[in-house]
Structures are given as C-alpha cells and as structure tokens.
Amino acid sequence: MNEWEKWIPLESIPARLYKESLIDDGDSLRIILSDETEGQKYSFLFDGLVLSYRNSDEGSRLRTLEHLHQHYAHLEYGNWTLFKVKNSSYLEWFNRESLKRYESIVEMEHYVFLTSNDVIEVLSVDAPTITKVV
C-alpha cells in the first residue's frame, strides 16, 4: 500500500519547491510553489474533477515521513517535492467515504506536494496544468 514515486511533470522543474499559496475558488484548485534559489514560481492548476484534497503541516505527518525514510530513501524525498502515490490509502479512504461512487473512474491520481512546511495531497481525475508564473 502507498507506493510512492517521483513525479517529474517538467524536465526543468526544480527539485525543492516551497508553498506560496493554495487557492480553492470553488471551480478549481491552484497550488503556487516557488523555487527558493531562483525565485521562479510554478502554478499547478487542477481545473478538472478534484475529488478531495488535504493540506497538513509536515510536522504533523511524522508517521508518513518515517514511512518514507524506511521505504523510500532512494527517492531522496527530502530533496524532492513532487510525487504520485499508487495503491493509495487516501484514495482507498475516499472510496469508502463516498460509498465507492467514483471507484469506476480508472484514471484517478493521488498527487503529493511535499514541501519543507506542508504536505499537500490531491485526488484528481485530471492532471494539473503547470505554468511558470512571471
């Protein structure tokens, strides 16, 4: 369960990004991340079907961080921000909570934005549109 993998949506994306903002405007979910060294910002816009999302302070996700340390040290999770999770317990929880209403949607993805201060998780049918913010 919870098989983590690095997500590299753009070849030039920096390894470490920091949360600038998380905006839920009712029609979409936008996560703005920045590269601390160059100051470049990236917008991750989920404007399709977002089934669920959660944002936690990384200090309250010690069990998850310990799991990553024990099983995924090779991913260098401390030096990388973007992940996808297969066989996700969060997705399993969501399916139970929704009485499996969305279970037939095959292409549901669990995205994780692991920053130095936040663990942002998004369950979405559609991949986000990623743009550099000037």
Side-chain angles (χ1 to χ4, degrees), residues 46-52 107-111 122-128:
F46 291 90
D47 61 354
L49 182 57
V50 173
L51 300 167
S52 181
E107 295 299 319
M108 213 177 309
E109 292 280 1
H110 178 182
Y111 298 91
V122 179
L123 299 180
S124 180
V125 173
D126 300 306

Side-chain angles (χ1 to χ4, degrees), residues 30-98:
R30 182 182 306 269
I31 301 167
I32 307 285
L33 303 177
S34 67
D35 172 13
E36 189 173 79
T37 57
E38 296 178 22
Q40 180 64 59
K41 294 182 182 181
Y42 296 85
S43 169
F44 294 79
L45 176 64
F46 291 90
D47 61 354
L49 182 57
V50 173
L51 300 167
S52 181
Y53 71 91
R54 61 187 178 190
N55 182 20
S56 305
D57 180 277
E58 49 76 38
S60 64
R61 297 296 302 270
L62 297 176
R63 184 173 154 198
T64 298
L65 295 175
E66 178 64 22
H67 175 79
L68 287 172
H69 179 71
Q70 289 178 353
H71 302 284
Y72 293 97
H74 66 281
L75 293 181
E76 299 177 32
Y77 67 90
N79 294 316
W80 192 257
T81 301
L82 306 173
F83 297 91
K84 286 186 181 181
V85 180
K86 303 292 182 198
N87 296 317
S88 162
S89 58
Y90 181 31
L91 184 54
E92 184 180 295
W93 169 85
F94 177 82
N95 281 328
R96 282 193 316 270
E97 285 295 310
S98 66

Side-chain angles (χ1 to χ4, degrees), residues 105-118:
I105 299 173
V106 179
E107 295 299 319
M108 213 177 309
E109 292 280 1
H110 178 182
Y111 298 91
V112 180
F113 301 82
L114 184 61
T115 73
S116 60
N117 295 316
D118 297 272

Side-chain angles (χ1 to χ4, degrees), residues 10-36:
L10 302 172
E11 284 184 34
S12 62
I13 199 138
R16 290 300 295 160
L17 296 165
Y18 302 86
K19 183 185 85 173
E20 291 278 328
S21 64
L22 186 150
I23 304 160
D24 178 350
D25 68 4
D27 293 325
S28 63
L29 177 68
R30 182 182 306 269
I31 301 167
I32 307 285
L33 303 177
S34 67
D35 172 13
E36 189 173 79

